[in-house]
mmCIF file of all heavy atoms in Angstrom:
data_model
loop_
_atom_site.group_PDB
_atom_site.id
_atom_site.type_symbol
_atom_site.label_atom_id
_atom_site.label_comp_id
_atom_site.label_asym_id
_atom_site.label_seq_id
_atom_site.Cartn_x
_atom_site.Cartn_y
_atom_site.Cartn_z
ATOM 1 N N LYS A 1 0.847 -1.204 0.000
ATOM 2 C CA LYS A 1 0.000 0.000 0.000
ATOM 3 C C LYS A 1 0.881 1.252 0.000
ATOM 4 O O LYS A 1 2.107 1.186 0.121
ATOM 5 C CB LYS A 1 -0.908 -0.024 1.227
ATOM 6 C CG LYS A 1 -1.878 -1.213 1.194
ATOM 7 C CD LYS A 1 -2.653 -1.335 2.487
ATOM 8 C CE LYS A 1 -3.553 -0.138 2.672
ATOM 9 N NZ LYS A 1 -4.398 -0.282 3.894
ATOM 10 N N ASP A 2 0.201 2.374 -0.086
ATOM 11 C CA ASP A 2 0.937 3.640 -0.137
ATOM 12 C C ASP A 2 1.747 3.886 1.114
ATOM 13 O O ASP A 2 2.815 4.518 1.074
ATOM 14 C CB ASP A 2 -0.044 4.814 -0.360
ATOM 15 C CG ASP A 2 -0.723 4.722 -1.714
ATOM 16 O OD1 ASP A 2 -0.138 4.054 -2.615
ATOM 17 O OD2 ASP A 2 -1.827 5.268 -1.879
ATOM 18 N N ASP A 3 1.243 3.404 2.248
ATOM 19 C CA ASP A 3 1.977 3.607 3.503
ATOM 20 C C ASP A 3 3.094 2.576 3.704
ATOM 21 O O ASP A 3 3.705 2.497 4.767
ATOM 22 C CB ASP A 3 1.022 3.575 4.695
ATOM 23 C CG ASP A 3 0.198 2.288 4.739
ATOM 24 O OD1 ASP A 3 0.461 1.399 3.879
ATOM 25 O OD2 ASP A 3 -0.683 2.131 5.616
ATOM 26 N N GLY A 4 3.354 1.736 2.671
ATOM 27 C CA GLY A 4 4.439 0.762 2.748
ATOM 28 C C GLY A 4 4.072 -0.558 3.382
ATOM 29 O O GLY A 4 4.917 -1.456 3.480
ATOM 30 N N VAL A 5 2.832 -0.727 3.846
ATOM 31 C CA VAL A 5 2.396 -1.975 4.477
ATOM 32 C C VAL A 5 1.899 -2.938 3.408
ATOM 33 O O VAL A 5 1.108 -2.543 2.546
ATOM 34 C CB VAL A 5 1.293 -1.707 5.521
ATOM 35 C CG1 VAL A 5 0.821 -3.023 6.143
ATOM 36 C CG2 VAL A 5 1.790 -0.749 6.599
ATOM 37 N N GLN A 6 2.362 -4.206 3.470
ATOM 38 C CA GLN A 6 1.898 -5.222 2.514
ATOM 39 C C GLN A 6 0.556 -5.783 2.956
ATOM 40 O O GLN A 6 0.332 -6.056 4.134
ATOM 41 C CB GLN A 6 2.920 -6.363 2.403
ATOM 42 C CG GLN A 6 4.174 -5.960 1.652
ATOM 43 C CD GLN A 6 5.054 -7.154 1.372
ATOM 44 O OE1 GLN A 6 5.017 -8.126 2.095
ATOM 45 N NE2 GLN A 6 5.854 -7.065 0.316
ATOM 46 N N GLN A 7 -0.327 -5.973 1.991
ATOM 47 C CA GLN A 7 -1.677 -6.441 2.273
ATOM 48 C C GLN A 7 -2.021 -7.593 1.349
ATOM 49 O O GLN A 7 -1.609 -7.606 0.178
ATOM 50 C CB GLN A 7 -2.685 -5.303 2.097
ATOM 51 C CG GLN A 7 -4.119 -5.710 2.451
ATOM 52 C CD GLN A 7 -5.071 -4.525 2.374
ATOM 53 O OE1 GLN A 7 -4.634 -3.362 2.282
ATOM 54 N NE2 GLN A 7 -6.354 -4.795 2.419
ATOM 55 N N LEU A 8 -2.795 -8.572 1.866
ATOM 56 C CA LEU A 8 -3.230 -9.720 1.063
ATOM 57 C C LEU A 8 -4.166 -9.233 -0.017
ATOM 58 O O LEU A 8 -5.214 -8.644 0.256
ATOM 59 C CB LEU A 8 -3.934 -10.757 1.950
ATOM 60 C CG LEU A 8 -4.462 -12.000 1.225
ATOM 61 C CD1 LEU A 8 -3.305 -12.836 0.677
ATOM 62 C CD2 LEU A 8 -5.327 -12.833 2.171
ATOM 63 N N ALA A 9 -3.761 -9.499 -1.256
ATOM 64 C CA ALA A 9 -4.595 -9.061 -2.376
ATOM 65 C C ALA A 9 -5.429 -10.213 -2.922
ATOM 66 O O ALA A 9 -6.484 -9.996 -3.522
ATOM 67 C CB ALA A 9 -3.710 -8.499 -3.485
ATOM 68 N N GLY A 10 -4.955 -11.444 -2.751
ATOM 69 C CA GLY A 10 -5.686 -12.593 -3.247
ATOM 70 C C GLY A 10 -4.790 -13.823 -3.248
ATOM 71 O O GLY A 10 -3.838 -13.907 -2.478
ATOM 72 N N ALA A 11 -5.090 -14.749 -4.150
ATOM 73 C CA ALA A 11 -4.305 -15.983 -4.228
ATOM 74 C C ALA A 11 -4.156 -16.418 -5.664
ATOM 75 O O ALA A 11 -5.015 -16.112 -6.512
ATOM 76 C CB ALA A 11 -4.968 -17.085 -3.415
ATOM 77 N N ILE A 12 -3.064 -17.111 -5.922
ATOM 78 C CA ILE A 12 -2.804 -17.668 -7.247
ATOM 79 C C ILE A 12 -2.807 -19.190 -7.114
ATOM 80 O O ILE A 12 -2.122 -19.764 -6.244
ATOM 81 C CB ILE A 12 -1.449 -17.195 -7.796
ATOM 82 C CG1 ILE A 12 -1.424 -15.672 -7.877
ATOM 83 C CG2 ILE A 12 -1.178 -17.789 -9.166
ATOM 84 C CD1 ILE A 12 -0.095 -15.116 -8.312
ATOM 85 N N PHE A 13 -3.565 -19.850 -7.978
ATOM 86 C CA PHE A 13 -3.694 -21.305 -7.940
ATOM 87 C C PHE A 13 -3.199 -21.910 -9.249
ATOM 88 O O PHE A 13 -3.409 -21.335 -10.323
ATOM 89 C CB PHE A 13 -5.147 -21.720 -7.706
ATOM 90 C CG PHE A 13 -5.677 -21.358 -6.359
ATOM 91 C CD1 PHE A 13 -6.344 -20.139 -6.179
ATOM 92 C CD2 PHE A 13 -5.509 -22.190 -5.281
ATOM 93 C CE1 PHE A 13 -6.835 -19.791 -4.929
ATOM 94 C CE2 PHE A 13 -6.007 -21.852 -4.038
ATOM 95 C CZ PHE A 13 -6.667 -20.654 -3.853
ATOM 96 N N ALA A 14 -2.583 -23.063 -9.119
ATOM 97 C CA ALA A 14 -2.189 -23.882 -10.277
ATOM 98 C C ALA A 14 -2.767 -25.274 -10.056
ATOM 99 O O ALA A 14 -2.505 -25.902 -9.026
ATOM 100 C CB ALA A 14 -0.676 -23.930 -10.432
ATOM 101 N N ALA A 15 -3.571 -25.721 -10.998
ATOM 102 C CA ALA A 15 -4.254 -27.020 -10.854
ATOM 103 C C ALA A 15 -3.993 -27.870 -12.086
ATOM 104 O O ALA A 15 -4.065 -27.367 -13.216
ATOM 105 C CB ALA A 15 -5.743 -26.811 -10.660
ATOM 106 N N THR A 16 -3.685 -29.137 -11.835
ATOM 107 C CA THR A 16 -3.444 -30.064 -12.939
ATOM 108 C C THR A 16 -4.232 -31.345 -12.701
ATOM 109 O O THR A 16 -4.356 -31.823 -11.561
ATOM 110 C CB THR A 16 -1.946 -30.377 -13.069
ATOM 111 O OG1 THR A 16 -1.757 -31.240 -14.199
ATOM 112 C CG2 THR A 16 -1.399 -31.082 -11.837
ATOM 113 N N SER A 17 -4.766 -31.874 -13.774
ATOM 114 C CA SER A 17 -5.569 -33.098 -13.666
ATOM 115 C C SER A 17 -4.675 -34.306 -13.411
ATOM 116 O O SER A 17 -3.560 -34.379 -13.941
ATOM 117 C CB SER A 17 -6.368 -33.305 -14.953
ATOM 118 O OG SER A 17 -7.059 -34.546 -14.908
ATOM 119 N N ASP A 18 -5.179 -35.233 -12.585
ATOM 120 C CA ASP A 18 -4.419 -36.464 -12.350
ATOM 121 C C ASP A 18 -4.883 -37.594 -13.251
ATOM 122 O O ASP A 18 -4.580 -38.756 -13.021
ATOM 123 C CB ASP A 18 -4.519 -36.877 -10.881
ATOM 124 C CG ASP A 18 -5.964 -37.136 -10.457
ATOM 125 O OD1 ASP A 18 -6.878 -36.982 -11.295
ATOM 126 O OD2 ASP A 18 -6.174 -37.494 -9.276
ATOM 127 N N THR A 19 -5.621 -37.238 -14.320
ATOM 128 C CA THR A 19 -6.072 -38.262 -15.265
ATOM 129 C C THR A 19 -4.893 -38.954 -15.926
ATOM 130 O O THR A 19 -4.860 -40.184 -16.064
ATOM 131 C CB THR A 19 -6.978 -37.631 -16.340
ATOM 132 O OG1 THR A 19 -8.087 -36.998 -15.717
ATOM 133 C CG2 THR A 19 -7.475 -38.690 -17.318
ATOM 134 N N PHE A 20 -3.915 -38.131 -16.337
ATOM 135 C CA PHE A 20 -2.728 -38.718 -16.960
ATOM 136 C C PHE A 20 -2.029 -39.664 -15.986
ATOM 137 O O PHE A 20 -1.577 -40.750 -16.376
ATOM 138 C CB PHE A 20 -1.772 -37.597 -17.402
ATOM 139 C CG PHE A 20 -0.461 -38.119 -17.919
ATOM 140 C CD1 PHE A 20 -0.359 -38.672 -19.186
ATOM 141 C CD2 PHE A 20 0.679 -38.076 -17.114
ATOM 142 C CE1 PHE A 20 0.851 -39.162 -19.651
ATOM 143 C CE2 PHE A 20 1.881 -38.575 -17.575
ATOM 144 C CZ PHE A 20 1.970 -39.117 -18.853
ATOM 145 N N TYR A 21 -1.952 -39.247 -14.711
ATOM 146 C CA TYR A 21 -1.307 -40.115 -13.724
ATOM 147 C C TYR A 21 -2.085 -41.402 -13.542
ATOM 148 O O TYR A 21 -1.500 -42.487 -13.454
ATOM 149 C CB TYR A 21 -1.171 -39.395 -12.383
ATOM 150 C CG TYR A 21 -0.808 -40.324 -11.261
ATOM 151 C CD1 TYR A 21 0.466 -40.889 -11.183
ATOM 152 C CD2 TYR A 21 -1.752 -40.697 -10.298
ATOM 153 C CE1 TYR A 21 0.805 -41.762 -10.171
ATOM 154 C CE2 TYR A 21 -1.420 -41.578 -9.290
ATOM 155 C CZ TYR A 21 -0.146 -42.102 -9.232
ATOM 156 O OH TYR A 21 0.173 -42.983 -8.235
ATOM 157 N N ARG A 22 -3.436 -41.276 -13.500
ATOM 158 C CA ARG A 22 -4.252 -42.487 -13.331
ATOM 159 C C ARG A 22 -4.077 -43.427 -14.524
ATOM 160 O O ARG A 22 -4.014 -44.650 -14.370
ATOM 161 C CB ARG A 22 -5.719 -42.111 -13.165
ATOM 162 C CG ARG A 22 -6.050 -41.501 -11.806
ATOM 163 C CD ARG A 22 -7.540 -41.550 -11.523
ATOM 164 N NE ARG A 22 -8.302 -40.814 -12.517
ATOM 165 C CZ ARG A 22 -8.615 -39.517 -12.424
ATOM 166 N NH1 ARG A 22 -8.206 -38.813 -11.377
ATOM 167 N NH2 ARG A 22 -9.323 -38.925 -13.362
ATOM 168 N N GLN A 23 -3.984 -42.853 -15.725
ATOM 169 C CA GLN A 23 -3.754 -43.694 -16.899
ATOM 170 C C GLN A 23 -2.383 -44.375 -16.826
ATOM 171 O O GLN A 23 -2.236 -45.560 -17.126
ATOM 172 C CB GLN A 23 -3.858 -42.839 -18.166
ATOM 173 C CG GLN A 23 -5.259 -42.333 -18.454
ATOM 174 C CD GLN A 23 -5.293 -41.386 -19.633
ATOM 175 O OE1 GLN A 23 -4.254 -40.957 -20.139
ATOM 176 N NE2 GLN A 23 -6.498 -41.045 -20.076
ATOM 177 N N TYR A 24 -1.395 -43.592 -16.423
ATOM 178 C CA TYR A 24 -0.056 -44.146 -16.267
ATOM 179 C C TYR A 24 -0.051 -45.229 -15.180
ATOM 180 O O TYR A 24 0.558 -46.287 -15.330
ATOM 181 C CB TYR A 24 0.920 -43.029 -15.909
ATOM 182 C CG TYR A 24 2.240 -43.519 -15.372
ATOM 183 C CD1 TYR A 24 3.202 -44.080 -16.204
ATOM 184 C CD2 TYR A 24 2.519 -43.432 -14.006
ATOM 185 C CE1 TYR A 24 4.405 -44.535 -15.704
ATOM 186 C CE2 TYR A 24 3.721 -43.889 -13.494
ATOM 187 C CZ TYR A 24 4.661 -44.442 -14.343
ATOM 188 O OH TYR A 24 5.840 -44.889 -13.841
ATOM 189 N N LEU A 25 -0.783 -44.932 -14.085
ATOM 190 C CA LEU A 25 -0.850 -45.886 -12.985
ATOM 191 C C LEU A 25 -1.521 -47.182 -13.421
ATOM 192 O O LEU A 25 -1.063 -48.275 -13.089
ATOM 193 C CB LEU A 25 -1.597 -45.268 -11.804
ATOM 194 C CG LEU A 25 -1.604 -46.074 -10.492
ATOM 195 C CD1 LEU A 25 -0.187 -46.188 -9.949
ATOM 196 C CD2 LEU A 25 -2.508 -45.416 -9.456
ATOM 197 N N MET A 26 -2.616 -47.070 -14.179
ATOM 198 C CA MET A 26 -3.313 -48.262 -14.628
ATOM 199 C C MET A 26 -2.453 -49.071 -15.603
ATOM 200 O O MET A 26 -2.442 -50.307 -15.559
ATOM 201 C CB MET A 26 -4.638 -47.875 -15.295
ATOM 202 C CG MET A 26 -5.665 -47.294 -14.319
ATOM 203 S SD MET A 26 -5.980 -48.355 -12.889
ATOM 204 C CE MET A 26 -6.671 -49.796 -13.700
ATOM 205 N N SER A 27 -1.705 -48.365 -16.449
ATOM 206 C CA SER A 27 -0.818 -49.081 -17.371
ATOM 207 C C SER A 27 0.265 -49.820 -16.597
ATOM 208 O O SER A 27 0.577 -50.988 -16.882
ATOM 209 C CB SER A 27 -0.176 -48.094 -18.355
ATOM 210 O OG SER A 27 -1.165 -47.450 -19.131
ATOM 211 N N THR A 28 0.830 -49.118 -15.612
ATOM 212 C CA THR A 28 1.846 -49.753 -14.777
ATOM 213 C C THR A 28 1.263 -50.943 -14.027
ATOM 214 O O THR A 28 1.903 -52.000 -13.901
ATOM 215 C CB THR A 28 2.423 -48.737 -13.784
ATOM 216 O OG1 THR A 28 2.914 -47.601 -14.492
ATOM 217 C CG2 THR A 28 3.546 -49.349 -12.967
ATOM 218 N N LEU A 29 0.021 -50.769 -13.526
ATOM 219 C CA LEU A 29 -0.627 -51.850 -12.787
ATOM 220 C C LEU A 29 -0.894 -53.052 -13.688
ATOM 221 O O LEU A 29 -0.718 -54.196 -13.271
ATOM 222 C CB LEU A 29 -1.937 -51.343 -12.170
ATOM 223 C CG LEU A 29 -2.668 -52.308 -11.242
ATOM 224 C CD1 LEU A 29 -1.786 -52.654 -10.045
ATOM 225 C CD2 LEU A 29 -3.992 -51.704 -10.767
ATOM 226 N N ASP A 30 -1.304 -52.776 -14.941
ATOM 227 C CA ASP A 30 -1.539 -53.880 -15.877
ATOM 228 C C ASP A 30 -0.251 -54.660 -16.130
ATOM 229 O O ASP A 30 -0.239 -55.894 -16.142
ATOM 230 C CB ASP A 30 -2.083 -53.329 -17.202
ATOM 231 C CG ASP A 30 -3.511 -52.812 -17.062
ATOM 232 O OD1 ASP A 30 -4.177 -53.198 -16.077
ATOM 233 O OD2 ASP A 30 -3.935 -52.017 -17.917
ATOM 234 N N ILE A 31 0.845 -53.914 -16.338
ATOM 235 C CA ILE A 31 2.137 -54.576 -16.563
ATOM 236 C C ILE A 31 2.530 -55.391 -15.336
ATOM 237 O O ILE A 31 3.016 -56.531 -15.442
ATOM 238 C CB ILE A 31 3.214 -53.525 -16.903
ATOM 239 C CG1 ILE A 31 2.886 -52.853 -18.227
ATOM 240 C CG2 ILE A 31 4.599 -54.179 -16.954
ATOM 241 C CD1 ILE A 31 3.807 -51.694 -18.562
ATOM 242 N N PHE A 32 2.306 -54.805 -14.143
ATOM 243 C CA PHE A 32 2.661 -55.502 -12.906
ATOM 244 C C PHE A 32 1.829 -56.768 -12.731
ATOM 245 O O PHE A 32 2.344 -57.810 -12.317
ATOM 246 C CB PHE A 32 2.460 -54.568 -11.711
ATOM 247 C CG PHE A 32 2.744 -55.208 -10.386
ATOM 248 C CD1 PHE A 32 4.044 -55.394 -9.948
ATOM 249 C CD2 PHE A 32 1.704 -55.647 -9.571
ATOM 250 C CE1 PHE A 32 4.309 -55.992 -8.734
ATOM 251 C CE2 PHE A 32 1.961 -56.248 -8.355
ATOM 252 C CZ PHE A 32 3.264 -56.418 -7.940
ATOM 253 N N ILE A 33 0.529 -56.679 -13.063
ATOM 254 C CA ILE A 33 -0.344 -57.857 -12.911
ATOM 255 C C ILE A 33 0.090 -58.970 -13.861
ATOM 256 O O ILE A 33 0.156 -60.148 -13.484
ATOM 257 C CB ILE A 33 -1.815 -57.464 -13.152
ATOM 258 C CG1 ILE A 33 -2.316 -56.575 -12.007
ATOM 259 C CG2 ILE A 33 -2.689 -58.701 -13.280
ATOM 260 C CD1 ILE A 33 -3.700 -56.035 -12.217
ATOM 261 N N ILE A 34 0.410 -58.596 -15.105
ATOM 262 C CA ILE A 34 0.849 -59.607 -16.075
ATOM 263 C C ILE A 34 2.159 -60.249 -15.615
ATOM 264 O O ILE A 34 2.313 -61.482 -15.615
ATOM 265 C CB ILE A 34 1.010 -58.973 -17.469
ATOM 266 C CG1 ILE A 34 -0.366 -58.525 -18.004
ATOM 267 C CG2 ILE A 34 1.650 -59.976 -18.436
ATOM 268 C CD1 ILE A 34 -0.288 -57.747 -19.290
ATOM 269 N N ALA A 35 3.107 -59.387 -15.201
ATOM 270 C CA ALA A 35 4.396 -59.917 -14.726
ATOM 271 C C ALA A 35 4.204 -60.777 -13.482
ATOM 272 O O ALA A 35 4.848 -61.832 -13.331
ATOM 273 C CB ALA A 35 5.354 -58.766 -14.443
ATOM 274 N N SER A 36 3.304 -60.336 -12.603
ATOM 275 C CA SER A 36 3.049 -61.096 -11.375
ATOM 276 C C SER A 36 2.422 -62.441 -11.688
ATOM 277 O O SER A 36 2.751 -63.455 -11.066
ATOM 278 C CB SER A 36 2.141 -60.297 -10.437
ATOM 279 O OG SER A 36 2.752 -59.084 -10.047
ATOM 280 N N ALA A 37 1.486 -62.440 -12.680
ATOM 281 C CA ALA A 37 0.843 -63.705 -13.046
ATOM 282 C C ALA A 37 1.863 -64.706 -13.574
ATOM 283 O O ALA A 37 1.831 -65.895 -13.225
ATOM 284 C CB ALA A 37 -0.246 -63.441 -14.096
ATOM 285 N N VAL A 38 2.790 -64.206 -14.397
ATOM 286 C CA VAL A 38 3.813 -65.095 -14.952
ATOM 287 C C VAL A 38 4.721 -65.617 -13.835
ATOM 288 O O VAL A 38 4.991 -66.820 -13.732
ATOM 289 C CB VAL A 38 4.637 -64.356 -16.023
ATOM 290 C CG1 VAL A 38 5.805 -65.235 -16.486
ATOM 291 C CG2 VAL A 38 3.758 -63.984 -17.210
ATOM 292 N N THR A 39 5.206 -64.680 -13.006
ATOM 293 C CA THR A 39 6.120 -65.104 -11.935
ATOM 294 C C THR A 39 5.408 -65.966 -10.902
ATOM 295 O O THR A 39 6.017 -66.887 -10.344
ATOM 296 C CB THR A 39 6.727 -63.873 -11.245
ATOM 297 O OG1 THR A 39 5.677 -62.988 -10.812
ATOM 298 C CG2 THR A 39 7.639 -63.112 -12.188
ATOM 299 N N LEU A 40 4.125 -65.690 -10.649
ATOM 300 C CA LEU A 40 3.374 -66.532 -9.713
ATOM 301 C C LEU A 40 3.210 -67.946 -10.267
ATOM 302 O O LEU A 40 3.267 -68.926 -9.514
ATOM 303 C CB LEU A 40 2.004 -65.914 -9.423
ATOM 304 C CG LEU A 40 1.964 -64.818 -8.367
ATOM 305 C CD1 LEU A 40 0.580 -64.189 -8.289
ATOM 306 C CD2 LEU A 40 2.349 -65.361 -6.997
ATOM 307 N N THR A 41 2.984 -68.044 -11.575
ATOM 308 C CA THR A 41 2.877 -69.371 -12.188
ATOM 309 C C THR A 41 4.188 -70.141 -12.048
ATOM 310 O O THR A 41 4.200 -71.327 -11.680
ATOM 311 C CB THR A 41 2.504 -69.243 -13.668
ATOM 312 O OG1 THR A 41 1.273 -68.518 -13.787
ATOM 313 C CG2 THR A 41 2.342 -70.614 -14.303
ATOM 314 N N ILE A 42 5.294 -69.436 -12.328
ATOM 315 C CA ILE A 42 6.604 -70.070 -12.172
ATOM 316 C C ILE A 42 6.846 -70.435 -10.711
ATOM 317 O O ILE A 42 7.333 -71.532 -10.386
ATOM 318 C CB ILE A 42 7.713 -69.136 -12.692
ATOM 319 C CG1 ILE A 42 7.534 -68.904 -14.196
ATOM 320 C CG2 ILE A 42 9.092 -69.719 -12.396
ATOM 321 C CD1 ILE A 42 8.485 -67.885 -14.779
ATOM 322 N N SER A 43 6.493 -69.488 -9.806
ATOM 323 C CA SER A 43 6.657 -69.759 -8.367
ATOM 324 C C SER A 43 5.811 -70.943 -7.939
ATOM 325 O O SER A 43 6.241 -71.772 -7.128
ATOM 326 C CB SER A 43 6.275 -68.521 -7.554
ATOM 327 O OG SER A 43 7.087 -67.420 -7.881
ATOM 328 N N PHE A 44 4.593 -71.028 -8.479
ATOM 329 C CA PHE A 44 3.694 -72.137 -8.163
ATOM 330 C C PHE A 44 4.350 -73.473 -8.522
ATOM 331 O O PHE A 44 4.372 -74.411 -7.720
ATOM 332 C CB PHE A 44 2.384 -71.959 -8.929
ATOM 333 C CG PHE A 44 1.373 -73.047 -8.682
ATOM 334 C CD1 PHE A 44 0.439 -72.925 -7.661
ATOM 335 C CD2 PHE A 44 1.343 -74.190 -9.473
ATOM 336 C CE1 PHE A 44 -0.485 -73.927 -7.438
ATOM 337 C CE2 PHE A 44 0.427 -75.199 -9.251
ATOM 338 C CZ PHE A 44 -0.496 -75.059 -8.226
ATOM 339 N N ILE A 45 4.929 -73.527 -9.734
ATOM 340 C CA ILE A 45 5.548 -74.772 -10.189
ATOM 341 C C ILE A 45 6.786 -75.096 -9.351
ATOM 342 O O ILE A 45 6.979 -76.236 -8.901
ATOM 343 C CB ILE A 45 5.925 -74.663 -11.678
ATOM 344 C CG1 ILE A 45 4.642 -74.493 -12.529
ATOM 345 C CG2 ILE A 45 6.705 -75.891 -12.136
ATOM 346 C CD1 ILE A 45 4.919 -74.192 -13.982
ATOM 347 N N VAL A 46 7.628 -74.065 -9.113
ATOM 348 C CA VAL A 46 8.859 -74.289 -8.360
ATOM 349 C C VAL A 46 8.554 -74.709 -6.925
ATOM 350 O O VAL A 46 9.147 -75.654 -6.392
ATOM 351 C CB VAL A 46 9.731 -73.013 -8.375
ATOM 352 C CG1 VAL A 46 10.906 -73.161 -7.416
ATOM 353 C CG2 VAL A 46 10.234 -72.733 -9.779
#
């Protein structure tokens, strides 16, 4: 302000969707499930 005192004027927000992360997570989960199924089958036999 004119008298040199700082005053709250508002806020600035940055928002990003986690859809991409969820897609990445689901892809990673699919790969993990497939790998787990294969290794579990091998583990089952061993």
